[in-house]
Amino acid sequence: MAFPRLIFQLLFVIVLAFGLCNAQDLKLGYYGKTCPGAEAIVKKTTSHYISRAPTLAAPLLRMHFHDCFVRGCDGSILLNSTKNNQAERDAIPNQSLRGFQVIDAAKSELEHKCPGVVSCADILALVARDAVSMIKGPYWKVPLGRRDGRVSIMLEGLTNLPAPFANITSLKAQFASLGLNAKDLVVLSGGHTIGNAHCFAFTNRMYNFTGKGDTDPTMDPNYIARLKSKCTSVNDVTTIVEMDPGSFKTFDGSYYTYVAKRRGLLQSDAALLDDKETKAYVKLQALSHGSTFFKDFAESMEKMGKIGVLTGKAGEIRKRCGFVN
């Protein structure tokens, strides 16, 4: 498996190089003439859902992240599996995603007003930004003009997303392959300030870290005891736990306070303390109560939203986000 995966990653780096050029084709107000009010329609639709279910902000942000990390920000995460193909959204890391109805509702409104103009990839990028902003999180610019990809492969969704068990070396390498640096890694990890995680993503740290029934020595023992009261066995596949205890509905810098105290929920959170640069950022935000986190998050999200985009005549504009035309 390692060799084919390496080949795919090398090919994606080549594609990414073209994608970075394509990113220059993205523009603020891209639909100003072809679909006036498109961004307002997306914002209104997003508000309709977030005002009723604020916890949707976290999975919508995660959906955008997962989309961009596989084949670039091309809306491939939105495609349904077919009789002949298992799509990304059915990969294990994506099975807990929610909020597809928000994208579909915005697309339906836009198709009614401007048929065949606004891409699903652009809608997802806008919805993620608007949802986070609506729960008093940061606001970032979203240049538009992405087109929709026609390919979505479940295996890529499994192998190309950062794993909750990843160490700092693999995390930095994975981000670097997409044009993101160590600062982007530690900043975007701060998105874990909202949302939940299933127990199976971290129970090995509490019950069987090295295969000997032991706990992760880098994790605060008091936090382990608290988590064990919620996730009662290593085989718990249904229980969910707050990523940022007591603050999981609020977008703030408290995530870094928990990581600094060795209370990062996932191994990939704890790994941020294993690198000089990422550890320094964690400590800075923990001590300053997230003083630059919002500004930094906005900058990294703008950067992430340009990964491997399709523009011009590449891809298509889907009529329905779950299906290729």
Side-chain angles (χ1 to χ4, degrees):
M1 280 300 294
F3 186 63
R5 181 178 178 183
L6 177 61
I7 292 175
F8 176 82
Q9 289 178 332
L10 288 171
L11 288 172
F12 189 77
V13 168
I14 295 171
V15 172
L16 178 64
F18 287 102
L20 291 174
C21 296
N22 291 343
Q24 297 173 2
D25 296 331
L26 300 181
K27 295 179 176 64
L28 294 171
Y30 179 84
Y31 297 108
K33 293 182 179 178
T34 55
C35 190
E39 293 182 49
I41 289 172
V42 173
K43 186 175 183 179
K44 183 179 179 181
T45 303
T46 306
S47 177
H48 172 81
Y49 285 91
I50 296 298
S51 62
R52 290 162 175 77
T55 55
L56 271 179
L60 286 168
L61 175 62
R62 186 163 161 249
M63 191 187 297
H64 181 36
F65 183 95
H66 284 204
D67 183 40
C68 293
F69 265 62
V70 181
R71 294 187 169 266
C73 312
D74 66 345
S76 54
I77 187 69
L78 304 171
L79 287 171
N80 293 317
S81 292
T82 65
K83 183 172 65 176
N84 300 314
N85 179 67
Q86 287 185 292
E88 281 171 48
R89 67 189 283 177
D90 288 329
I92 290 173
N94 293 326
Q95 289 176 5
S96 59
L97 289 178
R98 298 183 296 122
F100 291 97
Q101 72 274 23
V102 183
I103 312 299
D104 291 339
K107 179 62 172 173
S108 179
E109 289 285 329
L110 289 165
E111 283 298 299
H112 180 71
K113 182 179 180 183
C114 319
V117 174
V118 182
S119 70
C120 298
D122 273 346
I123 292 171
L124 176 53
L126 286 169
V127 166
R129 188 271 312 276
D130 291 342
V132 168
S133 176
M134 285 168 190
I135 60 166
K136 300 182 179 178
Y139 181 93
W140 58 92
K141 297 174 183 175
V142 180
L144 303 169
R146 298 167 190 78
R147 288 173 64 85
D148 297 321
R150 296 188 177 98
V151 178
S152 184
I153 300 170
M154 184 176 74
L155 182 61
E156 293 176 4
L158 186 63
T159 59
N160 295 347
L161 292 169
F165 317 107
N167 61 36
I168 192 64
T169 303
S170 61
L171 287 169
K172 287 175 69 176
Q174 199 160 18
F175 274 65
S177 73
L178 298 171
L180 301 173
N181 58 32
K183 182 178 181 182
D184 296 315
L185 163 61
V186 66
V187 169
L188 292 173
S189 294
H192 288 169
T193 183
I194 52 174
N196 302 296
H198 282 81
C199 288
F200 62 76
F202 57 87
T203 45
N204 68 306
R205 301 186 72 197
M206 304 182 301
Y207 290 105
N208 200 27
F209 190 60
T210 64
K212 299 176 181 178
D214 53 345
T215 60
D216 183 346
T218 68
M219 198 178 208
D220 176 4
N222 293 322
Y223 189 41
I224 289 177
R226 189 189 309 175
L227 290 173
K228 279 186 172 182
S229 70
K230 297 180 180 181
C231 305
T232 54
S233 84
V234 73
N235 299 315
D236 189 333
V237 295
T238 55
T239 307
I240 57 173
V241 173
E242 299 170 6
M243 296 284 284
D244 188 355
S247 179
F248 77 108
K249 293 182 181 179
T250 308
F251 203 102
D252 56 27
S254 61
Y255 164 80
Y256 297 105
T257 303
Y258 276 95
V259 173
K261 291 179 177 178
R262 299 191 299 132
R263 294 185 176 190
L265 190 62
L266 308 177
Q267 271 179 259
S268 56
D269 295 320
L272 299 176
L273 297 178
D274 296 334
D275 173 84
K276 184 177 179 181
E277 184 179 352
T278 55
K279 180 179 181 178
Y281 188 87
V282 168
K283 297 287 189 181
L284 171 66
Q285 299 307 322
L287 289 171
S288 66
H289 305 288
S291 60
T292 65
F293 175 44
F294 274 36
K295 177 180 72 70
D296 295 338
F297 192 82
E299 290 175 0
S300 290
M301 285 300 297
E302 287 180 37
K303 194 172 173 182
M304 188 195 81
K306 297 175 182 178
I307 294 173
V309 294
L310 303 175
T311 60
K313 294 185 179 180
E316 65 182 13
I317 304 296
R318 290 182 214 139
K319 295 175 183 175
R320 292 187 295 166
C321 292
F323 306 88
V324 293
N325 291 344

